[in-house]
Each structure stands twice: as structure tokens, then as C-alpha cells.
Amino acid sequence: MDSLILILILPLIGALVLFLSPKNYTLLSTEHAAISGATSFALLYNVCKVLSDGTFFSYDEFLFLDGLGCVFLILIAITGFLVNLYSTQYMKWELEEGHINLEDLRKYYALCHVFVFTMTLSVICNNIAFMWAAIEATTLASVFLVAINKDQKSTESGYKYIVLCSIGLAFALYATVVLYSATFSNVGNGEEAMLWTTIMSNAKELNSDAAKLIFVLALIGFGTKAGLAPTHTWLPDVHAQGPAPISALLSGVLLKCAMLALLRYYAVTANATGFEFVQDIMLISGTLTLFIAGIFLVRQHDVKRMFAYHSIVHMGVIAFALGIGGELGIFAAIFHCLAHSFTKALAFCSTGNIARIYGHKDMSKMGGMIKIAPITTIMFGAAVCSLVGVPAFAIFVSEFLVFKGAIVTGQYFAVALFAIALAIIFIADFSHFNMASFGEPKGVIVHNKEMSMFENLPLIGLCALIIIFGVWHVDSFFALVESGVKIIMGA
């Protein structure tokens, strides 16, 4: 069987198996972990195939995988597997607390794999219309996961999520239609005009004004799904109310799938009009997002809302890096997608532990976590350190490259604004971390002990990854990022 078809079929078969399985926690959790492991292995096999043989196509070029897409398949494979592994423990706690029942658990596990299918399709789809449809489908697959607890707040946040993202993605649909029309006028073949690879190879022939309109529409549409300001307002509620593993998948993987779509439109427009236009637009978008999210971040005491605003902040960092442009800026943007994915998955999974320990998510009513749960505190602290760009953690690498790229190109005012935004975020984060982790406990403690080492293994794995990518030059991954840079620059 074709390897690209396989990575689409596996999660769908897994979802069907889970939907039909008996309502037994041990069986469902074992199947969930096994299916997730098999899917991740298949995804990484395709990544290795690109590393050895280069870009390849499937199904009459309807599906394809290049170096840029491989970066995002890695996120689905590794972040997705570790988060799904953590979810088996998290959902056990939810069952014990009576927040869900076994029927809900079965639906949750099955929908997780449908969600993985939609994200994978959005990454490997060469047809721009189906890529748009796949990203829209991620909303439909994940909204039921967000509202799995069926309480008023999660239901309201799910409704807000589907309405705002669907409205936003309508603009992306307009971008898709206009891009197809503009390419068809040059290519003259309807099927080929829908393929991103054909569009990219003919980008220089696109009408410049049409290309600018296409990018603005794509930025509004995919930027809404990615969480860029000012269309970010759905994100804090959804990430705060959903189960911790779903927040980890939304922030760690889903936002990056929307960002990949935006990267592809960025590449087309940049090669059609020159990079100055897209860089200016992304610089404005990134700076606006950084400051809006940073200001709201200072006021957050709910640990999940704090990390939700961090998702917006770091989408702003990626947009800002694309605004800086050049090889360094684009490299930083792509690398940041991976660094943020691992970091934010660790952050949201740690909030699952924290909520279990304290029985709430209000950091102003915590304190003393270092004594109660030292491993969770270390994981929480590692996530915070990476998010604020402390050296030796993955996000430091990409943020350093942003500074370097801005200075090399003489964009001193922009980099000064970037530094101010990061300073605000640094102060806010460490004040929140200190509030929750040190001092005497202030609230009612549900569990006065640490989770077991087995329960913390996915968090330890994510922590190891953000340190590995912060310290070592991982040659194979850097080769994929460099390939992505060349693709975007039209080399």
C-alpha cells in the first residue's frame, strides 16, 4: 500500500475500531496507545523516505510530501503520540472524578484519531481546495473533544470555536478560489491549477495585485485558525476549557497545521510579488499579536488561560520571524513551530497534573507545589523556561535566530519592539511560576502527592525533547528545515 495513503487510513481504521470496542477502560486505553504508536511510526517512516529520496507524490499528485511538510508530520507523530499516551492517564482521572463515563471515553479516543487524520491530510494534501477542507475538518473533529465534559463553559467555548474559526476560514476559501482562478489563467489546466506544486512553480507569472489580495485573505482565514490577533479571541476560552491533552494537541499541533497553510500562501505571494510585501504584512501581524497577547498574559491567574495566551504569543513570534524574512527569519519561523509544539504540549500536560493536585487551576490559590509534586514542578518550570526563551531550551534557538536575522538586515526598531514584548512575557511568566511553585499551599489539595513516574513519562519525554533541540544540532531535522526554507524562497 502507498505510504501516504497508509498514514490516512491508519487513524481512520483506529477510530472505527475504538467506536466499536466494548466499554472497558483498560481495553480502550491500550487500543488508543497502540493505534497512536502505529500511526506515529508510519508518519516517521514517510519523513525518513523524504530524507533519503526527496519529495514524492501519490494518487496522481493529489497527495505529496516535501521537506516543509515533513517538519509538521514530525509534530503530529511525536507530539501526538506523547500527548495521546498522557491522555490514557488523564482520562482515567476524569473517570474517577465522574466528569465523564466510559461511553464518553470511547468517543474521546475515537475522535482523537479522526482529529489526527484531518491534521495529517492538511499537511500532505497538494490540492489547495482539499487542504482548506482538511483544515476546516480539523475544527469539526476537535470541537467535540473540547466539549467532552458537556458542562456549560466547555459547550460555550466549543460553540465559539466552531463559529469564529468557520467564519475566519471562509476568508481562506476566498483566497483559495482567487488563487485557483489566477493560476488557471496562466496554466490553462483546471486540475493542475489546483495543485500547490504547480501554483508554486508558476508563482512568478501570477498577477501581482491578485497575489496580494490572495495573501491578505489567507492571512485573515488561516491566521484566525492559527490564533493571530485580532482574530484570536476563540483560543483562550477553548484551550482553558478543554481537557488538558486536547489543549496540548490544539496548541502543539493544530495551530501549526494552520500556520503551514499560511506558509504555503506566503511562499506563493512572495515569489509572485517579491518578499517585501509579505514581510511587511507579517511583521505588523506578528508585532500586534505579541503585544496584545503579552498584555493579557500579565493578568492571567488561571494556569491554562496563561498557557493559552502563550499560544497566541508564539504564533506572533512565528509571524514576526516571517516578517523579518530572509533565510534566517524563515528558518527561525519553521524551527519555532517544532520548538513551540513540544514546549506547549509539555505545558498543557503539566496543567493536567496541577489541576489533579490542587483541584483547581487558579495559581493565586496554589503555592508549595515544589514540596507536593517536585517532578510536576520541574516539568512546569521547564515549560515556562522554554516559553520565555531561556538558553538550552528549544525556543531560545529560534528566538535567537530572529534577533540575529533582524540585526543582520538592519531592522533595529522591529527587533527593539520584539525585545520589549519578550521582556513583558518573561516577567509575567516567572511571577506566575513563583506564585504556584513556592511558598505555603493556599488552597484545598485534592491529592497531596506526586503522580507516579509512569504517569509522568510522557512529560519527561517532552521535556527531554525541548532540551535536545535546544542544545544539539539535530542534523536530519535541520536538513528538513533548510529544505523548507528553500521551498518557500522558491529555490
Side-chain angles (χ1 to χ4, degrees):
M1 182 181 289
D2 187 285
S3 61
L4 287 180
I5 299 293
L6 181 64
I7 59 176
L8 296 176
I9 290 176
L10 271 176
L12 288 180
I13 292 175
L16 181 62
V17 168
L18 285 160
F19 268 125
L20 298 176
S21 292
K23 290 184 278 188
N24 177 283
Y25 166 77
T26 303
L27 176 63
L28 289 169
S29 296
T30 302
E31 288 177 346
H32 177 60
I35 293 163
S36 183
T39 302
S40 294
F41 179 82
L43 289 167
L44 293 175
Y45 169 79
N46 280 277
V47 171
C48 293
K49 195 172 175 180
V50 170
L51 281 168
S52 62
D53 302 330
T55 301
F56 66 97
F57 297 84
S58 176
Y59 206 62
D60 291 332
E61 299 191 5
F62 180 80
L63 302 176
F64 84 124
L65 186 60
D66 57 5
L68 183 60
C70 279
V71 174
F72 296 84
L73 275 197
I74 289 171
L75 307 190
I76 298 172
I78 298 178
T79 305
F81 174 69
L82 290 172
V83 170
N84 280 330
L85 197 61
Y86 174 76
S87 71
T88 60
Q89 293 299 320
Y90 181 87
M91 299 313 286
K92 182 181 179 181
W93 302 335
E94 292 289 278
L95 280 170
E96 291 171 353
E97 296 292 334
H99 296 153
I100 63 168
N101 55 39
L102 284 170
E103 179 63 27
D104 293 331
L105 179 69
R106 184 167 64 178
K107 291 176 183 176
Y108 171 89
Y109 283 158
L111 284 169
C112 280
H113 296 287
V114 176
F115 188 28
V116 168
F117 161 78
T118 58
M119 291 190 292
T120 303
L121 180 59
S122 74
V123 171
I124 67 173
C125 200
N126 195 19
N127 184 296
I128 57 170
F130 278 85
M131 179 185 71
W132 172 87
I135 292 175
E136 180 69 275
T138 61
T139 308
L140 300 175
S142 57
V143 68
F144 298 105
L145 293 167
V146 170
I148 194 73
N149 287 334
K150 301 175 185 174
D151 56 54
Q152 183 178 350
K153 286 187 177 180
S154 62
T155 303
E156 285 178 357
S157 64
Y159 180 76
K160 186 175 184 180
Y161 171 43
I162 197 169
V163 169
L164 290 180
C165 284
S166 295
I167 293 172
L169 285 172
F171 285 91
L173 179 59
Y174 300 148
T176 303
V177 172
V178 178
L179 179 57
Y180 165 75
S181 177
T183 305
F184 179 76
S185 66
N186 293 323
V187 175
N189 184 302
E191 290 184 10
E192 289 187 5
M194 294 296 289
L195 301 179
W196 183 81
T197 46
T198 301
I199 293 167
M200 190 64 187
S201 63
N202 290 276
K204 289 181 170 60
E205 298 175 17
L206 286 177
N207 178 275
S208 178
D209 292 333
K212 291 177 181 178
L213 173 62
I214 288 163
F215 184 69
V216 171
L217 291 170
L219 177 59
I220 296 170
F222 295 119
T224 299
K225 192 63 182 278
L228 294 174
T231 54
H232 67 283
T233 52
W234 63 271
L235 195 150
D237 291 337
V238 170
H239 287 202
Q241 296 304 322
I246 297 308
S247 298
L249 284 176
L250 288 170
S251 183
V253 187
L254 176 59
L255 300 186
K256 312 308 181 303
C257 292
M259 191 57 74
L260 172 60
L262 186 56
L263 277 169
R264 295 205 184 277
Y265 276 82
Y266 175 96
V268 170
T269 306
N271 282 275
T273 67
F275 278 84
E276 185 177 353
F277 173 77
V278 289
Q279 286 177 201
D280 288 346
I281 294 291
M282 294 308 290
L283 200 60
I284 294 168
S285 176
T287 305
L288 183 67
T289 301
L290 277 166
F291 278 94
I292 288 176
I295 291 167
F296 278 101
L297 182 63
V298 174
R299 303 170 53 193
Q300 301 308 310
H301 286 166
D302 183 305
V303 65
K304 287 195 74 180
R305 287 189 75 86
M306 178 187 81
F307 284 137
Y309 275 104
H310 252 298
S311 296
I312 301 167
V313 163
H314 286 279
M315 292 305 99
V317 171
I318 295 169
F320 189 91
L322 292 172
I324 294 300
E327 290 187 7
L328 281 174
I330 296 171
F331 187 101
I334 299 171
F335 185 92
H336 199 86
C337 289
L338 173 122
H340 181 256
S341 177
F342 293 156
T343 302
K344 192 47 69 67
L346 174 61
F348 275 116
C349 288
S350 70
T351 67
N353 283 10
I354 292 168
R356 173 75 171 167
I357 292 164
Y358 287 98
H360 59 79
K361 298 174 288 185
D362 188 344
M363 290 179 289
S364 67
K365 297 177 181 176
M366 293 180 186
M369 186 162 54
I370 189 66
K371 299 176 183 177
I372 300 165
I375 297 177
T376 296
T377 307
I378 291 169
M379 298 298 103
F380 180 41
V384 170
C385 286
S386 185
L387 287 170
V388 299
V390 171
F393 292 92
I395 284 178
F396 170 78
V397 175
S398 46
E399 291 185 345
F400 173 78
L401 290 174
V402 173
F403 277 104
K404 184 177 178 180
I407 291 169
V408 166
T409 54
Q411 300 178 67
Y412 303 116
F413 180 69
V415 80
L417 291 176
F418 187 63
I420 292 168
L422 293 187
I424 293 169
I425 294 158
F426 183 93
I427 294 167
D429 271 9
F430 274 106
S431 64
H432 292 145
F433 175 66
N434 182 67
M435 182 190 303
S437 301
F438 302 102
E440 293 301 317
K442 308 177 186 70
V444 178
I445 300 173
V446 175
H447 296 277
N448 59 3
K449 58 180 179 140
E450 176 65 280
M451 283 67 205
S452 69
M453 185 62 73
F454 177 77
E455 290 170 326
N456 277 318
L457 274 179
L459 280 71
I460 294 169
L462 288 163
C463 184
L465 286 167
I466 62 175
I467 294 171
I468 288 168
F469 281 91
V471 174
W472 280 282
H473 188 287
V474 184
D475 291 340
S476 56
F477 179 74
F478 274 65
L480 291 173
V481 177
E482 288 167 0
S483 173
V485 172
K486 291 177 182 177
I487 289 167
I488 291 172
M489 297 193 76

